Amino acid sequence: MPQVKLSPRLEAVANLVDTKAKVADIGSDHAYLATYLVEQGKVAEAIVGEVAVGPLDNAKHTVATQGLGKKIDCRLADGLAAVSKEDSVETVVIAGMGGLLIKKILNDQKDLGPFQQLVLQPNTDQDAVRAWLVDNGYAIVKEQMVEEGEHRYEIIVAEPGQQTLSADDLTFGPFLRQEQGPVFQQKWQHEQSRLQLVLDRLKEAGQVDNPKYQEVLKKVEKIQEVLSA
C-alpha cells in the first residue's frame, strides 16, 4: 500500500511535530497528517478528532485503507473533547481553520493542558492565536510560513512557558518577523498593496479625514516599517 503523501502545507506541519508517543489532530482533513506521522515513524499512535460524521467517515476510510486501525483512533467530538487526560497526548495539532476557531477550541478544553507541544496553523487571525498562547502559559518556540498555490500559511509551534510579545510580534510573528523569509515578504507585500488600493479609493472619494483612512494608513506604514527593518 503506497504511503500517504501530504500537501506542502501539511508536510510543513508534520515536520514541526516533535513527539514520539502520541499526537492528536483536531479537524484532520481525512486523517492524512496522522497517517503520515505514523507511517513515517514520527509518532507511535494518533487520535483524530472530527466534529461531523462525514469527515469522520473519511478519516476512518484513510486509516483503514492504510491498515492503521490499531494505531490511529478516529473519534467523533467537538474540538479537544476528543481527548482526555488518560490519553496522554503529547502534541496537539490544529491546522487549516480560522484563528478564532482555533482559539475557541483551545479555550474550551484548556484544563486538559498544558500539552508538551501545540502545532497550530491558523488561516486567519494569527494575532489572536498568539495572544491566547501568551495568556495561557505557552511560549512560541518556532514559526514557519509555507506557500501552497496562491496561499501563504503561518504555522505556530508553542510549548509550556512564559513569554512577552509586542504588538508587532502578535501581528507578524516573533520568529517570522526576525527571519524575514521570502514567503513572509511576499505575504506582507501583497497585503500592503491591497491596503494601498483601499487608501487610494478613500482618497479619490475625498475621505482623507475619515478615521478609516487613518487606520489603514497606519497599517500600511507599519508593514513598510517591518519589511524595511
Side-chain angles (χ1 to χ4, degrees):
M1 182 64 61
Q3 292 189 337
V4 165
K5 290 186 178 180
L6 300 180
S7 67
R9 174 183 68 89
L10 282 180
E11 186 174 3
V13 170
N15 290 337
L16 290 168
V17 171
D18 184 20
T19 183
K20 291 295 183 184
K22 187 177 287 188
V23 64
D25 185 15
I26 306 302
S28 70
D29 190 15
H30 292 75
Y32 293 145
L33 178 68
T35 300
Y36 177 89
L37 290 170
V38 172
E39 287 181 338
Q40 295 295 317
K42 287 204 71 174
V43 302
E45 297 178 90
I47 293 170
V48 167
E50 293 289 2
V51 73
V53 173
L56 180 70
D57 288 342
N58 293 336
K60 287 181 175 179
H61 176 74
T62 300
V63 171
T65 299
Q66 299 303 115
L68 295 174
K70 293 184 178 180
K71 295 185 176 181
I72 302 176
D73 188 2
C74 299
R75 301 176 180 177
L76 184 65
D78 187 359
L80 279 168
V83 177
S84 69
K85 282 187 176 291
E86 289 70 30
D87 289 317
S88 299
V89 166
E90 295 174 307
T91 295
V92 169
V93 176
I94 312 177
M97 303 180 195
L100 297 181
L101 178 55
I102 290 177
K103 176 182 172 181
K104 181 180 185 302
I105 289 171
L106 292 170
N107 207 54
D108 285 349
Q109 300 289 335
K110 63 183 178 182
D111 291 342
L112 280 173
F115 295 98
Q116 291 181 26
Q117 184 189 45
L118 296 176
V119 181
L120 311 173
Q121 186 267 295
N123 291 339
T124 59
D125 298 295
Q126 294 86 1
D127 56 339
V129 173
R130 293 187 179 99
W132 186 93
L133 292 169
V134 170
D135 291 342
N136 288 274
Y138 285 94
I140 297 170
V141 296
K142 192 178 296 184
E143 293 177 307
Q144 186 174 340
M145 190 176 287
V146 61
E147 189 172 26
E148 183 176 303
E150 297 180 354
H151 301 284
R152 300 169 186 92
Y153 298 100
E154 296 183 33
I155 308 168
I156 303 166
V157 183
E159 298 175 356
Q162 300 300 314
Q163 187 175 49
T164 300
L165 296 181
S166 66
D168 287 354
D169 289 333
L170 292 175
T171 300
F172 298 95
F175 291 93
L176 294 173
R177 184 167 66 90
Q178 294 298 322
E179 293 163 2
Q180 292 272 344
V183 182
F184 175 90
Q185 292 181 4
Q186 289 168 15
K187 171 184 174 172
W188 288 107
Q189 285 168 357
H190 181 271
E191 178 65 6
Q192 186 179 29
S193 297
R194 186 187 71 81
L195 292 172
Q196 186 61 53
L197 286 175
V198 175
L199 285 180
D200 293 344
R201 293 193 186 107
L202 288 170
K203 191 172 183 178
E204 289 172 2
Q207 297 292 313
V208 175
D209 294 330
N210 188 316
K212 183 178 180 182
Y213 183 92
Q214 297 303 320
E215 178 186 345
V216 175
L217 179 61
K218 286 181 180 178
K219 289 181 179 179
V220 170
E221 291 174 344
K222 174 55 69 176
I223 292 171
Q224 185 59 45
E225 176 188 324
V226 169
L227 292 177
S228 301

